Amino acid sequence: MEITIGKTKLILKIGDITEENTDAIVNAANSTLMGGGGVDGAIHRKGGSAILEECKKIRQTLYPEGLPTGEAVITTGGKLKARYVIHTVGPICHGKFDETEEKLLYNAYYNSLKLAKEKGLRTVSFPSISTGAYRCPPEKAAKTALKAIIEFLKKYDYIQEVRVVLFTEDIYKTFKESLKEVIDEL
Ligand code: AR6
C-alpha cells in the first residue's frame, strides 16, 4: 500500500529488507553494534564484513559504551544493494509499552530519518523495529513507527520515498490498520 505525505511516498510492503535498493536500509540493531539475530543478523550476513568493521570503529570513537537506545549511526551497505545501513536501537519491551518505550521507539525512527537527511539520502527502508526479539506489542509499535515517520515527513520534505518492509503478512496487516488510525488522528 502507498500514500503520499507532502512530496514523499510512504510505502508499506511485505518483503526482505536486505533486498531493498533504497539509498539506505535501517537495521534494528542492539547497543553493542556487533550484530545479532533477526534483521541484524540478515543484514550483516548479506552485507559482509565491511559493515562490522565500520561498526567497530564507531564503538571505538563515538560510542565506547554502546549506541544508546533511540539513537542512530550510519555505515556502508557493503555488498547490499543499499549503499548505506543506518543502525538504530529500539527499546526492549518484554511486552510492556509505556511512555518510555514509546518515546524511545519514536526516536529510533525519527533519528534514523534525520541522519538520512543529513547524509543527503533520498530513499530509506525500515523494518519493524523492536517487534521481534525485543517484543514490543505490534499494534502499539506500528502506530508509533508510523507517527514518527509521518511527523518527520510533514516537517521536512527532503526525502523522496520511505518504505516499511514487513517480514510477514501479519505484521504487514498490523501496519496497514495502524496507518489508517494514525492518518485519522494527525
Ligand atoms: N527483513 C525484514 N524484516 C525482518 C527480516 C528481514 N530480513 N528478518 C526479520 N524481520 P528483530 P528487534 C522482522 O528481532 O525486535 C537482534 O538480535 C521480524 O519478523 O530483528 O528490534 C538484534 O541484534 C520482526 O517483525 O529486531 C537485537 O539484539 C522485525 O523484523 C535484537 O534482535 C524485528 O525483529 C533487536 O530486536
Side-chain angles (χ1 to χ4, degrees):
M1 117 170 245
E2 184 180 317
I3 63 163
T4 306
I5 313 281
K7 289 179 192 153
T8 313
K9 257 195 238 171
L10 172 58
I11 296 170
L12 304 183
K13 61 181 278 193
I14 298 177
D16 175 350
I17 197 164
T18 63
E19 292 298 322
E20 292 301 319
N21 61 358
T22 39
D23 293 334
I25 62 171
V26 176
N27 182 17
N30 60 61
S31 288
T32 71
L33 294 177
M34 293 298 109
V39 191
D40 196 8
I43 288 174
H44 279 281
R45 267 196 307 279
K46 210 174 270 186
S49 58
I51 299 176
L52 187 61
E53 288 313 310
E54 279 191 38
C55 284
K56 283 182 181 161
K57 284 199 192 108
I58 290 168
R59 283 296 310 278
Q60 282 160 8
T61 53
L62 283 175
Y63 291 107
E65 309 291 324
L67 182 66
T69 307
E71 300 298 318
V73 293
I74 190 162
T75 67
T76 175
K79 291 187 276 186
L80 294 167
K81 291 174 190 161
R83 278 189 294 139
Y84 297 96
V85 175
I86 293 171
H87 305 261
T88 189
V89 184
I92 302 174
C93 291
H94 297 306
K96 175 173 158 281
F97 202 80
D98 293 333
E99 252 173 66
T100 311
E101 289 79 15
E102 186 181 358
K103 185 69 193 151
L104 291 169
L105 188 60
Y106 185 99
N107 289 348
Y109 283 91
Y110 200 93
N111 288 329
S112 296
L113 287 171
K114 216 169 119 195
L115 185 54
K117 180 177 174 285
E118 280 163 16
K119 286 281 166 187
L121 308 183
R122 300 275 191 178
T123 57
V124 181
S125 298
F126 282 95
S128 169
I129 300 166
S130 281
T131 59
Y134 283 177
R135 287 189 43 237
C136 292
E139 289 79 13
K140 288 180 179 161
K143 269 188 88 167
T144 303
L146 293 167
K147 223 174 127 193
I149 293 169
I150 291 170
E151 284 181 355
F152 183 92
L153 297 179
K154 285 195 164 170
K155 194 156 176 197
Y156 307 102
D157 63 5
Y158 182 79
I159 292 176
Q160 288 167 347
E161 189 171 310
V162 175
R163 301 178 193 162
V164 187
V165 182
L166 290 326
F167 209 45
T168 64
E169 183 81 37
D170 263 11
I171 190 80
Y172 173 71
K173 277 190 191 143
T174 304
F175 267 77
K176 231 170 84 174
E177 288 305 311
S178 301
L179 183 56
K180 287 179 203 141
E181 284 177 40
V182 172
I183 288 169
D184 287 345
E185 281 169 25
L186 285 175

